[in-house]
Amino acid sequence: MVKKLFIVGLILLIPGIWTLFQALSIGPASWALDQSLFWGTPIVNFVFWIGLAHAGTFLSAILLILEVRFQKRISLVAELSTIAAILVASIFPLIHLGIVSRFYFLIPFFNERNIFANFSSPLIWDFVAIFVYLCISIFYIVTHLLSLKHASLLKTRKVLAWILFPLVLWVHTIVSLDFAVTTNNLWQGAYFPIYFILGALFSGLALVVFLLEVQKRRVRKIEELLIAASWLLFVFWIWEFFQKGVWHFEVVFFGFVIVQLLWIPVLRKQKAFRLFVSFSVLISMWLERYVLIIPLDIEWLPVDYGWFALGIGLFLSVFFGLYLLIQKHNPLVFYVSAEESNEKYSRKVLWGILAGAVVFALLYFALNYPLDTSVPLMNWIPVLFPLFSLFAGLSFFALGVYSVVPKKQFFLVSGLLVLILGGAFGAFYAGGDTNLGVESKIISVERVSKNNRPVKDLWASRCASCHGLKGEGNRKFIYEFYPEIQDLTLERLNSQGEDSLTQVVLKGRAFMNPFEGRVSEPEARALIRYMYQLAEEKE
Amino acid sequence: MTPLINALACLLALLPASFLWTSPRSIARYGISQALILLCFMLFTFFTGDMEDPMMEFYPLKMWAFCLCVSTLTLTKKRTFFMTLAQGLWFWIVFFGSLSLAYRGEPVNNLSMILLFFGMIGVQFFKQNPKEISLGILIYWVGIWMLF
C-alpha cells in the first residue's frame, strides 16, 4: 500500500509540475481570479496544507507534553506528515511572489539593501514562522529517530516539544492575520486566530486517521478527537453566521453531519467508513477555506484543478518516499517507541540556553528597531518569538546530537552545514541585481535611492500602482481594498494647493500611505507638480 | 457592553467552571460539552452585546478562556500546568484578537495582556496551592475580567 501510494504521488506530480510551470510562467492570469479576489485558489491551498502540517506537531509534540499515552503510537507518522505538508504549503506563497527567485527579500535581514523588511506585514511573519517551524520540525523528527537508539535524547525531544507547542499555534494564528490586514470585512474577525487553529487541527486529525489506516492501524482516541473537534468547529461556524450572516451548508454537511455518523458503532467498525469520514472532513476543510477566500462564483482554469495534483502528488511522494527510506533502515520504526527516560537537563543548561535565546531575539530587535521606529512594538513580537525558538531549538538539538554521535562525525557534518548555510546566508544577504531590465515601469532600487531621480520614474515606481501611470487611478488595484480614488482633476488639485498636497504625500491621509522617509520633501513637491502636469494633459 | 452585562457574563462563565472536569467522560463528550458551553456564551454575547462593537467578535472566546481558567482551580492533578495553559489561551485570544483589531485602527488595551502574562508566570510560584492562594488567583482573574 505504501509503495502504491508513493507511485500514485509520483504520477500525480506530472500534471502537478505542469501546473507549477504554468503558474510561474503566466503568473496570476493562469488561475481563476477576479478583481475583488486578489489571491485566488493558491491561498486556499496554502491555508489548507499549512493546516494539515499542524496536526502532525499537535499530535506529537503537544500530546507529548500533556503525557497522553497514545501519542507514542502515532508520533512518527504525524511528524513525517508535518514535514511533507509544510513543504507543499510553502510552494503557494512563493508562487504569489511572482518573481520566485527573489524570495530572499522576505528574509528580514537588516537594512543594508535599503529594502526594509516590513514588519507590519504578515508576509514577513509568515515567512519567518514557517521557516522556523520547518527547521524545528526537522530537528524534532531527527531527535525522535535518534532517540530510539539513545534514550538520553528523550530529554531533548521534550524540550523541542515545548518549543513547538506555542510555535505551531503561532504559525496558524499568523496565517489568520494575513486576512486581518485586508479591508474586506468578510476576511476579518478577531476570533479568527482560534478559529483557524481549530480548523487546522481538525483537518490534520483527519489526515492522521487516513495515514494510520494505510498502515492498517487504528487509534480510537483520534476518532474521538475528531468528533470533539467537529463540534467545536460547528460552534464557530454558528458564530460566523452571527457575525456575518454567512452559512455554508456544504461545509457543515461534510465537516459536521457526516462526522457524527461515527457514533453508530456498526459504521465505525468499517475501515472503509472511517476512511470516508476522514476524506469528508478533508473536503469540508478545503471547502471552508475556499468559500471564505472566494465568496463568489468564478470559472476555474486548468491551473486551479492542477493545484490538487501538485499538492497531493508532492505530499504523497515526499511522505511515502521518506517513509520507505526510514523503514528500510529500521523496519519496525513505526511501531516501536523509545524507552522511558527520566533524565532532565541541568538547570544551568536549560536556563542558559533560554536566556541566550532571549538575548538573541532582543539583540535582533535592538539592532533593527532604531532603523524603523515607525513600526509599533506589537508588530515585532510575531518575528521575535520565532527567532527565539530558532535559537533555542538549534542549541538544544546540537547539544543533544553532540552527546550521542562520534565527535569527529559531529564536527565534520556541522562544519559542512555551517559552510553551506553560511554561504547561502551571505549570498542572500548580498542579494542579486535588483534591476529587472524592464525600463519603463520598474525602477531599480539603486536608482530610486539616489536623490536626483527623474520624477517620472519616481512616480512610476512609487505612486502608479494606485494612481495609475497617467494619474487615471488603477481601478484593478484599488477596487475592494481602497475606496474609489478621487479623480485627480486640475480643479481638485488647485482647490487644495501644492503645499497641502505635499503634506498629503509625506504624512498620508485616509488610505493614502505616508511616504515620509521614502521620498524627500523636494521629491514630494516634484511629484505634486508632476501630478499637475498629468492633470493638464488629461484636460 | 455595559459593566452590568459584563458582570453577568462573568457569572455566566463561572457557572460551568465548577463542574467541567468532575465526571469522567470520553474525549468526544468532553469536546461536545466544551462546544455547547461556548455556544451558550456566543448566544449570550449575541443577544446582550452590541454587535457593532468589534470587541464583541472575540468576547465569547474570552468568556470561554476565563471559564477554563477558573475550572483549573477544581483540578487536583497538574494544576499549575493547566492554570498556565488556560491563562495562555486567554492571553492568546486577547493578544491576537486585539492585534487583528489594531489593524483596523481599533484601540488596544495592553494592560490586560500584561496582567495575564504575569499571571502565567505568577502561578509558577504557587506550586503548593493552599485554599487562600486559590481564592487570591480567582480574585485576580475576576479583577482582570471586570476591569478590562
Side-chain angles (χ1 to χ4, degrees), chain A residues 65-67 120 125 162 165 169-170 173 180-181 188-191 194 221 224 228 231 235-236 239 242-243 263, chain B residues 26-28 31-32 35 42-43 46 51 56-58 60-61 78 81 85 92-93 96-97 99-100 103-104:
Chain A
I65 290 171
L66 295 175
E67 292 175 6
S120 299
W125 309 348
W162 268 108
F165 181 8
L169 304 179
W170 197 272
T173 299
V181 292
Q188 289 177 338
Y191 56 96
I194 304 291
K221 288 267 164 51
E224 294 270 309
W231 275 82
V235 169
F236 268 88
W239 185 239
F242 283 166
Q243 290 275 324
W263 287 106
Chain B
S26 70
I27 298 177
I32 294 177
M42 285 172 177
L43 288 169
F46 186 67
M51 290 301 277
M56 292 302 110
E57 286 175 18
F58 61 100
L61 296 184
K78 290 193 161 207
F81 175 72
L85 278 194
W92 202 276
I93 289 168
F96 287 104
L99 192 60
S100 54
Y103 275 128
R104 279 181 258 166

Side-chain angles (χ1 to χ4, degrees), chain A residues 41 78 82 85 110 155 297 351 394 399 443 501 517-519:
Chain A
T41 43
T82 291
F110 301 121
K155 64 175 193 257
D297 270 333
W351 289 110
L394 185 63
L399 209 66
I443 308 298
L501 287 177
R518 293 185 282 176
V519 303

Side-chain angles (χ1 to χ4, degrees), chain A residues 193-268:
Chain A
I194 304 291
Y195 175 42
F196 270 50
I197 288 173
L198 273 174
L201 221 130
F202 188 42
S203 60
L205 285 167
L207 179 71
V208 171
V209 169
F210 162 70
L211 294 175
L212 287 176
E213 297 286 354
V214 171
Q215 289 186 303
K216 304 198 173 56
R217 291 197 298 162
R218 175 180 177 201
V219 177
R220 270 160 240 263
K221 288 267 164 51
I222 297 193
E223 293 155 25
E224 294 270 309
L225 272 171
L226 201 64
I227 300 178
S230 78
W231 275 82
L232 279 167
L233 224 65
F234 179 56
V235 169
F236 268 88
W237 290 327
I238 296 178
W239 185 239
E240 188 157 68
F241 177 70
F242 283 166
Q243 290 275 324
K244 301 173 188 162
V246 288
W247 181 256
H248 295 288
F249 180 73
E250 63 281 20
V251 174
V252 177
F253 180 76
F254 287 117
F256 179 74
V257 179
I258 298 268
V259 180
Q260 303 318 310
L261 295 177
L262 283 176
W263 287 106
I264 305 170
V266 192
L267 287 177
R268 191 161 166 182

Side-chain angles (χ1 to χ4, degrees), chain A residues 135-136 138-147 149-157 160 345 353 392-415 417:
Chain A
C135 289
I136 311 250
I138 293 174
F139 299 161
Y140 188 61
I141 194 170
V142 172
T143 317
H144 184 163
L145 293 174
L146 286 175
S147 73
K149 259 203 216 133
H150 312 278
S152 69
L153 276 181
L154 285 177
K155 64 175 193 257
T156 308
R157 199 162 136 70
L160 287 177
Y345 279 101
I353 291 183
L394 185 63
S395 311
F396 283 118
F397 178 64
L399 209 66
V401 175
Y402 180 75
S403 67
V404 296
V405 301
K407 302 288 163 283
K408 239 192 209 155
Q409 220 174 330
F410 177 82
F411 284 115
L412 201 72
V413 173
S414 54
L417 274 179

Side-chain angles (χ1 to χ4, degrees), chain A residues 39-55 85-86 88-93 96 126 130 171-179 187 192-193 195-201 203-204 282 285-293:
Chain A
W39 294 325
T41 43
I43 207 89
V44 177
N45 288 290
F46 166 66
V47 180
F48 177 72
W49 284 102
I50 199 78
L52 289 184
H54 287 44
I86 302 182
V88 177
S90 60
I91 291 179
F92 295 102
H96 259 273
D126 260 345
I130 292 173
V171 175
H172 220 71
T173 299
I174 282 172
V175 169
S176 82
L177 292 179
D178 288 354
F179 292 86
W187 290 339
F192 267 29
Y195 175 42
F196 270 50
I197 288 173
L198 273 174
L201 221 130
S203 60
L282 290 175
M285 292 318 292
W286 191 88
L287 279 174
E288 188 206 54
R289 276 66 174 251
Y290 183 76
V291 292
L292 173 71
I293 292 165

Side-chain angles (χ1 to χ4, degrees), chain A residues 480-500:
Chain A
E480 273 283 333
F481 287 87
Y482 300 98
E484 197 83 339
I485 283 196
Q486 296 285 351
D487 218 7
L488 296 175
T489 57
L490 210 48
E491 189 189 3
R492 183 172 164 88
L493 291 177
N494 274 328
S495 74
Q496 303 188 60
E498 191 180 300
D499 286 335
S500 78

Side-chain angles (χ1 to χ4, degrees), chain A residues 266-336:
Chain A
V266 192
L267 287 177
R268 191 161 166 182
K269 261 196 229 129
Q270 309 292 328
K271 175 176 173 152
F273 184 75
R274 294 193 303 267
L275 279 177
F276 169 71
V277 171
S278 103
F279 288 131
S280 166
V281 170
L282 290 175
I283 292 172
S284 143
M285 292 318 292
W286 191 88
L287 279 174
E288 188 206 54
R289 276 66 174 251
Y290 183 76
V291 292
L292 173 71
I293 292 165
I294 305 189
L296 44 91
D297 270 333
I298 185 161
E299 203 176 316
W300 276 26
L301 299 173
V303 165
D304 295 293
Y305 296 100
W307 300 135
F308 291 118
L310 180 64
I312 298 172
L314 191 63
F315 179 83
L316 291 180
S317 42
V318 172
F319 180 86
F320 289 109
L322 285 175
Y323 189 103
L324 289 169
L325 203 74
I326 293 176
Q327 206 176 30
K328 208 166 157 193
H329 271 277
N330 183 348
L332 285 176
V333 67
F334 287 95
Y335 303 93
V336 295

Side-chain angles (χ1 to χ4, degrees), chain A residues 90-144:
Chain A
S90 60
I91 291 179
F92 295 102
L94 288 181
I95 290 174
H96 259 273
L97 286 183
I99 308 169
V100 183
S101 55
R102 298 286 157 88
F103 80 93
Y104 55 82
F105 281 121
L106 286 174
I107 307 174
F109 283 133
F110 301 121
N111 197 21
E112 289 305 283
R113 288 195 300 250
N114 283 326
I115 303 172
F116 196 72
N118 179 3
F119 285 102
S120 299
S121 156
L123 202 60
I124 297 285
W125 309 348
D126 260 345
F127 179 81
V128 176
I130 292 173
F131 173 74
V132 173
Y133 183 39
L134 180 64
C135 289
I136 311 250
S137 299
I138 293 174
F139 299 161
Y140 188 61
I141 194 170
V142 172
T143 317
H144 184 163

